[in-house]
Amino acid sequence: MTTTLDKPPADKPSAPATGTTTLVPRPEPLEEPEEHRRVGRLRREDALALGGAAATGLSLAFLLFGRLAPLSGALGFVVVAHLIFLLVYAILVWMDASADGSKAGPVVRDRLLTVVLSSVAVLLFCALVLVVGFTVLRGWHALPHGSFYAQDMQAAGPLDPITVGGVQHAVAGTLIQIAIALAVSIPLGIACAVYLGQVPGKFSRFVRTIVEAMTALPSIVAGLFIYASWILMLGFEKSGLAAGLALSVMMLPIVIRASDVVLRLVPGTLTEAAEALGAPRWRTVWHVILPSARPGLATAVILGTARGIGETSPVLLTAGATAALNVNPTHGPMMSLPLAVFTFVRSPQPAMVTRAFGTALVLLTLVLLLFTLARTLGGRGPGRLSPRQARRADRRSQRDLDRFESAGTAPAPAADLADATDKTPPNPAPTEVD
């Protein structure tokens, strides 16, 4: 008889050995798992820490700027108050994390970074609201007049009131020029992005380097390039076509770079599945890659449009300036909205300054409409249907089901299929064949 005895714990007597017995020490009690805090939920302690730190920052800033130190200025007050707020908030978060028994360093860094990023976002939003609000406040008086949209400045002088003259010629010129620029930059930009993604090699890396360098191209250089090549060398006159080409030079690198990034995000399994079915490369790109990246490509077009629609110097070099309406892009000078704002605001007359801010409001509205149109045409990602598309798909499915029932070929319900499967013998007996 063989007996294996492990050393029992000191606080418990060993049991008598009978037969073959193995005594295992009693395991240590398991520690309770740590309860994780939900990051997205704001606790009461977090709200109190934020409020207390903000009150402390404001109070100490008031003391420094009014009592203790000879400081002055609204900007300095805001900066000092914010720095004190961050310092006090870090101390409160460290005390809270230390009381919970967790590591205070990562928690403090995470909360401080969150507060700093939120502060920057609020600052940028306030700057945007300030710019738009100031433009609306200064140019609102020009918008109610119908002549502001239906007339040009051919018969209006600098001393005429706001009811005489308008920006019809500038709106038409901007739409024509940006249409020409989009007609050039969209197909070339998307085709170049597809080439960079589908044809790797030394030349594609060279092209990508050139595109990245051209994203920081100054607008005046683009205007000088078209002016030297299109007007001086080829002998064409200043026109809206030349201005559209200059804008396309600026928009093309933005569209290529953004489209390249978007096309890289398309899952490789979709391309592999299409090629496994025998589809050629061009059909895979046209029917799989581009439809999958359509919302991102719309965003790339939006970025390119935002880059070119607000430029003044390329239009001034290649299309000139005029006070009359011109809708012929191949002949004569053509005005644009940014150039009109630049021309109006140079005048010291209050009516011209008001007209300039009203033109800026029209430009903002036009950009918003173009962006909304681009997002609408871009649609949603693959497999993501809007409520209207979902209702349309449901109606098509219902029509197909009605057609199957009328033809007598309606698919069986799932319950009937299950019953039929259960009634089928699992393994029928083989039949002897002579």
Side-chain angles (χ1 to χ4, degrees), residues 37 62 64 133 161 171 174 189-190 199 235 244 259 288 327 340 404:
R37 185 177 66 87
F62 273 117
L64 291 176
V171 173
T174 297
I190 295 178
V199 187
S259 301
V288 176
V327 294
F404 291 153

Side-chain angles (χ1 to χ4, degrees), residues 297-353:
L297 295 177
T299 304
V301 173
I302 288 174
L303 294 176
T305 305
R307 180 72 170 90
I309 199 171
E311 292 297 335
T312 303
S313 55
V315 178
L316 183 60
L317 284 173
T318 56
T322 179
L325 176 64
N326 180 19
V327 294
N328 186 4
T330 60
H331 176 71
M334 182 177 290
M335 200 68 166
S336 67
L337 286 172
L339 187 56
V341 173
F342 174 74
T343 304
F344 293 156
V345 82
R346 293 169 59 189
S347 175
Q349 301 298 326
M352 294 296 289
V353 175

Side-chain angles (χ1 to χ4, degrees), residues 17-112:
T18 58
T20 302
T21 307
T22 301
L23 299 179
V24 181
R26 184 172 56 186
E28 297 292 335
L30 298 177
E31 297 181 357
E32 296 183 359
E34 181 181 357
E35 183 180 358
H36 296 282
R37 185 177 66 87
R38 295 182 180 179
V39 180
R41 185 178 61 182
L42 183 65
R43 300 182 304 167
R44 184 182 62 179
E45 292 81 0
D46 300 335
L48 292 176
L50 286 172
T56 305
L58 291 175
S59 302
L60 291 180
F62 273 117
L63 288 176
L64 291 176
F65 277 75
R67 300 285 183 179
L68 302 180
L71 301 178
S72 61
L75 181 60
F77 176 82
V78 173
V79 172
V80 171
H82 190 69
L83 292 178
I84 297 174
F85 161 73
L86 292 178
L87 179 61
V88 175
Y89 182 69
I91 295 174
L92 293 178
V93 171
W94 178 78
M95 294 173 59
D96 185 23
S98 300
D100 292 341
S102 58
K103 294 182 179 180
V107 177
V108 172
R109 289 193 294 268
D110 176 69
R111 304 285 182 82
L112 278 182

Side-chain angles (χ1 to χ4, degrees), residues 7 114 119 204 207 239 243 273-274 277 286 313 382 424 432:
K7 186 177 180 180
T114 302
S119 303
S204 63
V207 173
S239 60
L277 293 175
W286 185 259
S313 55
T424 303
E432 295 183 358

Side-chain angles (χ1 to χ4, degrees), residues 19-288:
T20 302
T21 307
T22 301
L23 299 179
V24 181
R26 184 172 56 186
E28 297 292 335
L30 298 177
E31 297 181 357
E32 296 183 359
E34 181 181 357
E35 183 180 358
H36 296 282
R37 185 177 66 87
R38 295 182 180 179
V39 180
R41 185 178 61 182
L42 183 65
R43 300 182 304 167
R44 184 182 62 179
E45 292 81 0
D46 300 335
L48 292 176
L50 286 172
T56 305
L58 291 175
S59 302
L60 291 180
F62 273 117
L63 288 176
L64 291 176
F65 277 75
R67 300 285 183 179
L68 302 180
L71 301 178
S72 61
L75 181 60
F77 176 82
V78 173
V79 172
V80 171
H82 190 69
L83 292 178
I84 297 174
F85 161 73
L86 292 178
L87 179 61
V88 175
Y89 182 69
I91 295 174
L92 293 178
V93 171
W94 178 78
M95 294 173 59
D96 185 23
S98 300
D100 292 341
S102 58
K103 294 182 179 180
V107 177
V108 172
R109 289 193 294 268
D110 176 69
R111 304 285 182 82
L112 278 182
L113 186 60
T114 302
V115 171
V116 170
L117 293 179
S118 301
S119 303
V120 172
V122 171
L123 179 63
L124 294 178
F125 180 75
C126 292
L128 178 62
V129 171
L130 180 63
V131 171
V132 176
F134 183 77
T135 305
V136 171
L137 183 63
R138 293 295 303 272
W140 182 257
H141 300 287
L143 299 183
H145 304 287
S147 60
F148 186 72
Y149 311 100
Q151 296 180 7
D152 54 21
M153 293 296 295
Q154 189 174 8
L159 299 179
D160 290 331
I162 196 65
T163 56
V164 179
V167 293
Q168 182 188 26
H169 60 307
V171 173
T174 297
L175 292 177
I176 293 173
Q177 293 169 11
I178 202 66
I180 294 173
L182 289 175
V184 174
S185 60
I186 289 178
L188 290 182
I190 295 178
C192 184
V194 171
Y195 170 76
L196 294 178
Q198 299 297 322
V199 187
K202 294 183 179 180
F203 187 71
S204 63
R205 290 195 295 269
F206 172 75
V207 173
R208 182 176 284 110
T209 303
I210 296 299
V211 168
E212 292 177 355
M214 288 184 62
T215 52
L217 183 70
S219 58
I220 190 67
V221 175
L224 288 174
F225 171 73
I226 296 298
Y227 180 79
S229 60
W230 184 261
I231 298 176
L232 295 183
M233 295 179 59
L234 299 180
F236 292 97
E237 60 178 337
K238 291 185 176 181
S239 60
L241 178 60
L245 294 177
L247 294 179
S248 66
V249 172
M250 299 178 55
M251 295 167 54
L252 195 57
I254 306 298
V255 175
I256 293 174
R257 185 62 179 149
S259 301
D260 182 29
V261 173
V262 168
L263 293 177
R264 288 185 181 185
L265 297 178
V266 176
T269 53
L270 297 178
T271 305
E272 295 173 358
E275 293 180 352
L277 293 175
R281 179 62 62 88
W282 70 270
R283 190 176 291 274
T284 301
V285 171
W286 185 259
H287 292 282
V288 176

Side-chain angles (χ1 to χ4, degrees), residues 380-394 396:
R380 299 168 180 260
R384 298 176 58 187
L385 302 179
S386 63
R388 182 178 179 181
Q389 292 174 341
R391 290 193 298 267
R392 189 178 302 171
D394 292 341
R396 286 199 300 266

